[in-house]
């Protein structure tokens, strides 16, 4: 059923035996068998580009995780639908199907709005869901991302965590709502002083929505809203690893990459390392 949604991965580079590209099971000649898979990587292609392929190119050149050999599959790219709702419905169906098979989803998305589909993919699971947003902003006002998640029916939301937000971007009403609903929150300044505390927020999160705009411009110069301040690349990778370590995390989405501006591939390299550290965390899960 899943094969109909995906186009093939067309990267033609060669990989050394110790590189991830030589061990991941890719959708190139045939669609991967996911019966024995533990983690599935999926991307989204737009009408003009395949932004996820630039991240893949950098990711595949990093060292492999022996524990994940033949357990990590790359299903390829979903084509954006005629409307965002079309793309949303595809993602919801695919992520839900992967969850039913016990496979963790890594989404190389385009828009942060697609994180709503990852949350909604848990609808049929009939269990409560904790979600975490890592972003410089807090989309909690009416009709914004977190507002829509909070008001989605049927309601299976247990909690929302907001990490690395920057106070100078947050409307007072949004912050008041966050505190009144007793949602977990950890602003950028506090997180930088004690990043280990972030693990407590990610520990029970079933879906993690990672906005690349949470990372400062010098480390990710090619995002939709580049920021002079933000997470460093190292801090961003640490949060990704915490997400992977969590036994709860079933969906990890990475959003807001703009490949057209990434002439030296610095942003693609940083985002590839975020995925690598999520995989590193996953490989070190203790089943506790």
């Amino acid at each position: 059923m899943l094969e109909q949604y995906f186009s093939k991965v067309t990267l033609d580079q060669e990989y050394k035996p110790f590189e991830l590209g030589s061990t991941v099971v890719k959708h190139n000649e045939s669609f991967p068998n996911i019966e024995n898979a533990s983690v599935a990587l999926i991307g989204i292609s737009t009408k003009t580009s395949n932004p996820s392929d630039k991240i893949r190119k950098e990711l595949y050149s990093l060292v492999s995780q022996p524990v994940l050999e033949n357990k990590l599959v790359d299903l390829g790219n979903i084509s954006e639908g005629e409307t965002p709702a079309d793309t949303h419905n595809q993602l919801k169906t695919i992520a839900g199907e992967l969850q039913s098979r016990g496979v963790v989803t890594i989404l190389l998305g385009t828009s942060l709005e697609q994180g709503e589909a990852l949350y909604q993919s848990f609808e049929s699971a009939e269990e409560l869901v904790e979600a975490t947003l890592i972003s410089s902003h807090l989309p909690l006002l009416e009709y914004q991302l977190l507002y829509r998640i909070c008001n989605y029916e049927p309601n299976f939301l247990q909690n929302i965590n907001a990490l690395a937000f920057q106070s100078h971007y947050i409307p007072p009403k949004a912050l008041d709502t966050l505190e009144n609903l007793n949602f977990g929150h950890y602003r950028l300044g506090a997180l930088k002083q004690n990043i280990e505390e972030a693990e407590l927020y990610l520990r029970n999160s079933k879906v993690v929505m990672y906005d690349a705009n949470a990372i400062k411009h010098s480390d990710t110069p090619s995002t939709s809203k580049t920021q002079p301040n933000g997470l460093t690349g190292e801090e961003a990778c640490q949060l990704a690893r915490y997400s992977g370590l969590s036994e709860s995390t079933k969906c990890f989405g990475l959003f807001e990459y703009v490949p057209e501006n990434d002439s030296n591939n610095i942003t693609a390299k940083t985002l590839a390392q975020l995925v690598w550290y999520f995989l590193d965390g996953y490989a070190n899960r203790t089943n506790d």
Side-chain angles (χ1 to χ4, degrees), residues 99-116:
Q99 288 166 35
S100 71
R101 295 169 178 260
V103 179
V104 173
T105 301
I106 299 177
L107 170 64
L108 304 178
T110 52
S111 168
L112 182 60
E113 301 298 309
Q114 294 157 0
E116 183 180 8

Side-chain angles (χ1 to χ4, degrees), residues 252-270:
F252 179 80
L254 192 56
F255 309 99
E256 301 297 338
Y257 172 47
V258 182
E260 294 81 3
N261 301 333
D262 199 13
S263 57
N264 56 8
N265 289 343
I266 289 296
T267 304
K269 290 177 187 293
T270 300

